[in-house]
Amino acid sequence: MIDIRSVSKTFSNGTVVLNDVSLRIAKGELVALLGPSGSGKTTLLRVVAGLERPDQGEIYFGDTDATRLSARERQVGFVFQHYALFRHMTVFGNIAFGLEVRPQAARPDKAEIRNRVEQLLDLVQIGFLADRYPSQLSGGQRQRVALARALAIEPQVLLLDEPFGALDAKVRRDLRRWLRRLHDTLGITAVLVTHDQEEAMEVADRVVVMNQGRIEQVDVPDHIYDHPSSPFVYQFLCNVNKLACRVHRGQAEIDSGLFIPLGEEYAQIEDTPGLMFVRPFDIEITSPDHPGTFPATFGHQAMLGPMVRLELIMASGQILEAEVTRARHGALNLRPGTPVGVLVKQKKLYLTEDIPVPTSGRVGGGTH
Amino acid sequence: MTPPPPSKPRWNFSRSGTLPGFGLTLGLTLFYLSLLVLMPLAGVFFKTAGLSGAAFMAKAFNDRALAAYRLSFGSALTAAMINMVAGLLVAWVLVRYRFLGKKLLDAMVDLPFALPTAVAGIALTAIYAPNGWLGSRLVPLGIQVAFTPLGIVVAMIFIGLPLVVRTVEPVLQDLDTQLEEAALTLGATRIQVFVRVILPILLPALLTGFALAFARGLGEYGSVIFIAGNMPSVSEIAPLLIVIQLEQYDTLGATAIAAVMLVFSFLLLLVINLLQVWRQQRFHH
Amino acid sequence: MRVPSSEMPFLSNRSPLLSEPLWVRIILLLLALLFLGSFLLLPLLVVFGEALSQGVTVYLAALTTPDALAAIRLTLLTAAIVVPCNMVFGLAAAWCIAKFRFPGRGLLTTLIDLPFSVSPVVAGLIFMLMFGAQGWLTPWIQTFHVKIVFAVPGIVLVTLFVTVPFIARELIPLMEEQGVDDEESAIMLGASGWQTFWRVTLPNVRWGLMYGVLLCNARAMGEFGAVSVISGHIRGSTNTMPLHVEILYNEYEFAAAFAVASLLALLALVTLAVKTYLQWHYRKQLRAMGH
């Protein structure tokens, strides 16, 4: 449905925002563009919408080359982070806008417009707000209006730029699920920009992780979580312990004199610097004398709902974060200063020489 | 120019708790205002109250006075309307375009605030007089500006322009570009975006600027009298009539006309304040 | 949230998508330049052109006649009295309106703006009514042997009236925006009210204050209508510079009239220059404060 072919864009201040980005989005798919601010995700969305012109590359909608089409001609629904509702129009007026500005020949008559707007109001469940002005609505209601307004023009593609970014956590979670259900009902091709990995994982069919103007990885949520393709994706997807280490003959030295055994493939490598990633819940805490563990001291703890985050201090003073269930935490009976044994259940190692160095010049200066 | 007023007054914390000086400053403010503004203004109404209804009508609404009101209102209204369009144009160019000398142009917009009105008056007359810089070229075309009501409009355009520009400019500056983008993605043409999105948002500011320019034109004296010609009932504005009555020692006549003018000033002030309230209520989240 | 764009089109500071077509931009810009040129720039040029039309000698002679010098002195004297008075008033009014909440606050703000919407001629008239031949305060004021109408005190009074709002209305929104946090911290730290005002409030609003003083001064020196009504046009004694311009003009001494006018125009140019400088400074300060 949407075919992005080698799109590049550089801002006038020299910032490379998009660096040879290609992506195909299937009809009816909901794709999330995920990345930190300045990664180029919003610009990519705006390029697809026709709100920015790429320096290079093409955008195809189906078989049509849309690169030269204006935003007006592309018939995309665009939902802005801060809603961009017309303050001087009622909710009804906002939603009807896209139909009322059509050229005479294509414009539905008044009754038809009323009908369509009412359907959309029902769809986004805010029929009772039709005569209100945007300033009288809550954030979540405004975002629903923005969505209904974008859908009113029956777009081929729905583009959402951080649609829930300005909402508080609870409303955000509700709207997110609602959007997923809405998408399933409508079956519209949709692209969602977000910097919230949880949001991307929960809503999207596929997640596109972006960094510094490039696509790092495109995959379905489960797979991207289990098999991050780069250290960047690993760190971005969730909170992770990052340990600088030295790899030597099948072992990684993560602290002076502290070795962790590695797989076969590292047996031949000698004295090479590397980076080890360990997710907090892949760390098991045992008694200090347990075999296969290394020693650390318990520092302090933070309750995170069902989980407890523990701070473990290694001999060198380096800190590891571990997450355990409340039950396990109760069983451990830790006090600050308690010596513990640390067992790393799962880890991911990258040799420094294998980590790609970004080639683009200056990157950053995003839109948020 | 002026630092932008806060978008929302922060009512939610008490301001009178710890700070001293409220009584002193409020007292001083009220004393100063009463002595200098309220008491003198009240004098006008006391003086006119001394007149009988018929006498007041004769003084305030005789033919000459009516002609003067008509002229003042008509010219001020025309000038304010021209300024509304021209002011929007200038504000648009200053906010959205980039060109050499923009800063200079921006500073120049305030010239009518800074240039004494008498100076503006004689300069405009020198330009538009039949032997003047522009006048000598316009008169052969049949356009007589100086010493006609047209000249009055020109002078009122001069003094009212910055009021419109400076009222519209900040609103245009703060206009979220995403609103225009949203309208474009919804299929609006550039003209539709301007008419249906930008103009309605600017409307309160435009109307406020219009009202300010109108009020200013109505009361203007210095820049107008040189160019007006001052023919009774033809090119004699209301403020000039007040001066003439005073010079003829007809204090009551002058006061009656002043009372009428003041009532209109107050009405306009009320309108401007209501516009402000409307803006606050409907256009701020 | 303006996205820096790779291609800002000619003459425009927005993305090509949000810019009008080039020909529209050119036409709008030319129209604006034409309008401003003919309505603002041309009068300014004419003042200097006419002033120097009879040569520098005539120009300087016009400025150094005793009447002209007296007018200049009176104008400076008036401004020297009016500006400080309105400065004290402006600070007091802004302090109570911006830092406190009380009923009638909005009304008070409107009252301060009132002189803006009163015709200058009416402003002159109201003081005539108070202190003129049959004025209701005249008998009382005569017991002090002070002459107000057709004298300097009258000129000062009407100028005070027309310039009342200038400083206050610059300070009120500024102080309002700055809130009371700084002042409250100073008080908590043990500063007295005066110390707080001098060391915290005043430095915070100094650019706005200077801006207001500048505008107030320009108006005080340039006021014509109100002063014209009350001064009596007595040469060498109650003639301010704008009135002197009028007299010379009405006597067909155009070059001399424009010569004095050119001094006032110069004042306007200096005002605009300082204003631009202050704005630039103010923006810099705002940016430094992280706005």
Side-chain angles (χ1 to χ4, degrees), chain B residues 16 31 58 83 86 98 103 144 150 166 182 184 195 231 271 277:
Chain B
S16 45
F31 176 73
N83 268 334
R98 111 198 111 98
K103 286 243 161 65
Q144 170 108 29
L150 192 56
R166 296 308 185 206
L184 286 171
V195 173
M231 299 247 303
V271 168
V277 172

Side-chain angles (χ1 to χ4, degrees), chain A residues 93-105:
Chain A
N94 266 281
I95 299 174
F97 182 86
L99 300 171
E100 284 173 351
V101 295
R102 284 192 185 168
Q104 193 95 47

